[in-house]
PDB file of all heavy atoms in Angstrom:
ATOM      1  N   LEU B 172      60.751  92.873  72.798  1.00 98.00           N
ATOM      2  CA  LEU B 172      61.870  93.817  72.752  1.00 98.00           C
ATOM      3  C   LEU B 172      62.408  93.980  74.173  1.00 98.00           C
ATOM      4  O   LEU B 172      61.666  94.349  75.089  1.00 98.00           O
ATOM      5  CB  LEU B 172      61.416  95.161  72.195  1.00 98.00           C
ATOM      6  CG  LEU B 172      62.530  96.198  71.987  1.00 98.00           C
ATOM      7  CD1 LEU B 172      63.508  95.746  70.905  1.00 98.00           C
ATOM      8  CD2 LEU B 172      61.939  97.562  71.625  1.00 98.00           C
ATOM      9  N   TYR B 173      63.683  93.691  74.346  1.00 98.00           N
ATOM     10  CA  TYR B 173      64.328  93.774  75.654  1.00 98.00           C
ATOM     11  C   TYR B 173      64.797  95.209  75.854  1.00 98.00           C
ATOM     12  O   TYR B 173      65.712  95.665  75.181  1.00 98.00           O
ATOM     13  CB  TYR B 173      65.513  92.801  75.675  1.00 98.00           C
ATOM     14  CG  TYR B 173      66.110  92.533  77.047  1.00 98.00           C
ATOM     15  CD1 TYR B 173      66.317  91.228  77.479  1.00 98.00           C
ATOM     16  CD2 TYR B 173      66.488  93.573  77.901  1.00 98.00           C
ATOM     17  CE1 TYR B 173      66.874  90.951  78.720  1.00 98.00           C
ATOM     18  CE2 TYR B 173      67.027  93.307  79.141  1.00 98.00           C
ATOM     19  CZ  TYR B 173      67.226  91.994  79.545  1.00 98.00           C
ATOM     20  OH  TYR B 173      67.784  91.743  80.777  1.00 98.00           O
ATOM     21  N   CYS B 174      64.149  95.925  76.763  1.00 98.00           N
ATOM     22  CA  CYS B 174      64.491  97.329  76.987  1.00 98.00           C
ATOM     23  C   CYS B 174      65.393  97.420  78.220  1.00 98.00           C
ATOM     24  O   CYS B 174      64.990  97.031  79.323  1.00 98.00           O
ATOM     25  CB  CYS B 174      63.227  98.140  77.198  1.00 98.00           C
ATOM     26  SG  CYS B 174      62.018  97.879  75.874  1.00 98.00           S
ATOM     27  N   VAL B 175      66.602  97.882  78.028  1.00 97.00           N
ATOM     28  CA  VAL B 175      67.584  97.951  79.105  1.00 97.00           C
ATOM     29  C   VAL B 175      67.324  99.213  79.928  1.00 97.00           C
ATOM     30  O   VAL B 175      67.274 100.310  79.386  1.00 97.00           O
ATOM     31  CB  VAL B 175      69.013  97.948  78.527  1.00 97.00           C
ATOM     32  CG1 VAL B 175      70.047  98.118  79.622  1.00 97.00           C
ATOM     33  CG2 VAL B 175      69.273  96.667  77.748  1.00 97.00           C
ATOM     34  N   SER B 176      67.133  99.029  81.236  1.00 96.00           N
ATOM     35  CA  SER B 176      66.651 100.122  82.089  1.00 96.00           C
ATOM     36  C   SER B 176      67.615 101.287  82.223  1.00 96.00           C
ATOM     37  O   SER B 176      67.196 102.424  82.390  1.00 96.00           O
ATOM     38  CB  SER B 176      66.369  99.581  83.484  1.00 96.00           C
ATOM     39  OG  SER B 176      67.598  99.284  84.137  1.00 96.00           O
ATOM     40  N   SER B 177      68.906 100.995  82.184  1.00 93.00           N
ATOM     41  CA  SER B 177      69.850 102.048  82.533  1.00 93.00           C
ATOM     42  C   SER B 177      71.234 101.695  82.009  1.00 93.00           C
ATOM     43  O   SER B 177      71.445 100.595  81.520  1.00 93.00           O
ATOM     44  CB  SER B 177      69.897 102.228  84.051  1.00 93.00           C
ATOM     45  OG  SER B 177      69.811 100.985  84.707  1.00 93.00           O
ATOM     46  N   LEU B 178      72.165 102.616  82.157  1.00 93.00           N
ATOM     47  CA  LEU B 178      73.544 102.359  81.735  1.00 93.00           C
ATOM     48  C   LEU B 178      74.140 101.233  82.563  1.00 93.00           C
ATOM     49  O   LEU B 178      73.630 100.884  83.618  1.00 93.00           O
ATOM     50  CB  LEU B 178      74.392 103.620  81.925  1.00 93.00           C
ATOM     51  CG  LEU B 178      74.067 104.811  81.033  1.00 93.00           C
ATOM     52  CD1 LEU B 178      75.071 105.940  81.305  1.00 93.00           C
ATOM     53  CD2 LEU B 178      74.089 104.420  79.572  1.00 93.00           C
ATOM     54  N   GLY B 179      75.235 100.703  82.073  1.00 91.00           N
ATOM     55  CA  GLY B 179      75.985  99.744  82.887  1.00 91.00           C
ATOM     56  C   GLY B 179      75.612  98.307  82.597  1.00 91.00           C
ATOM     57  O   GLY B 179      75.067  97.974  81.560  1.00 91.00           O
ATOM     58  N   VAL B 180      75.967  97.455  83.544  1.00 93.00           N
ATOM     59  CA  VAL B 180      75.825  96.017  83.375  1.00 93.00           C
ATOM     60  C   VAL B 180      74.689  95.510  84.250  1.00 93.00           C
ATOM     61  O   VAL B 180      74.077  96.285  84.988  1.00 93.00           O
ATOM     62  CB  VAL B 180      77.150  95.315  83.738  1.00 93.00           C
ATOM     63  CG1 VAL B 180      78.225  95.648  82.728  1.00 93.00           C
ATOM     64  CG2 VAL B 180      77.615  95.691  85.147  1.00 93.00           C
ATOM     65  N   THR B 181      74.416  94.205  84.176  1.00 92.00           N
ATOM     66  CA  THR B 181      73.367  93.647  85.012  1.00 92.00           C
ATOM     67  C   THR B 181      73.766  93.749  86.478  1.00 92.00           C
ATOM     68  O   THR B 181      74.938  93.844  86.818  1.00 92.00           O
ATOM     69  CB  THR B 181      73.120  92.162  84.678  1.00 92.00           C
ATOM     70  OG1 THR B 181      74.338  91.442  84.870  1.00 92.00           O
ATOM     71  CG2 THR B 181      72.646  92.000  83.250  1.00 92.00           C
ATOM     72  N   GLY B 182      72.750  93.709  87.334  1.00 91.00           N
ATOM     73  CA  GLY B 182      73.021  93.806  88.767  1.00 91.00           C
ATOM     74  C   GLY B 182      71.887  94.567  89.409  1.00 91.00           C
ATOM     75  O   GLY B 182      71.209  95.335  88.737  1.00 91.00           O
ATOM     76  N   THR B 183      71.707  94.345  90.695  1.00 83.00           N
ATOM     77  CA  THR B 183      70.589  95.020  91.355  1.00 83.00           C
ATOM     78  C   THR B 183      70.888  96.500  91.510  1.00 83.00           C
ATOM     79  O   THR B 183      72.034  96.906  91.633  1.00 83.00           O
ATOM     80  CB  THR B 183      70.339  94.395  92.735  1.00 83.00           C
ATOM     81  OG1 THR B 183      71.557  94.467  93.475  1.00 83.00           O
ATOM     82  CG2 THR B 183      69.941  92.942  92.609  1.00 83.00           C
ATOM     83  N   ARG B 184      69.859  97.299  91.419  1.00 85.00           N
ATOM     84  CA  ARG B 184      70.007  98.745  91.599  1.00 85.00           C
ATOM     85  C   ARG B 184      69.001  99.223  92.642  1.00 85.00           C
ATOM     86  O   ARG B 184      67.899  98.692  92.735  1.00 85.00           O
ATOM     87  CB  ARG B 184      69.716  99.471  90.271  1.00 85.00           C
ATOM     88  CG  ARG B 184      70.826  99.331  89.239  1.00 85.00           C
ATOM     89  CD  ARG B 184      70.282  99.670  87.848  1.00 85.00           C
ATOM     90  NE  ARG B 184      71.304  99.720  86.806  1.00 85.00           N
ATOM     91  CZ  ARG B 184      71.967  98.674  86.313  1.00 85.00           C
ATOM     92  NH1 ARG B 184      71.778  97.480  86.812  1.00 85.00           N
ATOM     93  NH2 ARG B 184      72.845  98.826  85.331  1.00 85.00           N
TER      94      ARG B 184
END
Side-chain angles (χ1 to χ4, degrees):
Chain B
L172 185 66
Y173 193 130
C174 308
V175 176
S176 71
S177 38
L178 293 184
V180 292
T181 59
T183 56
R184 286 162 173 70

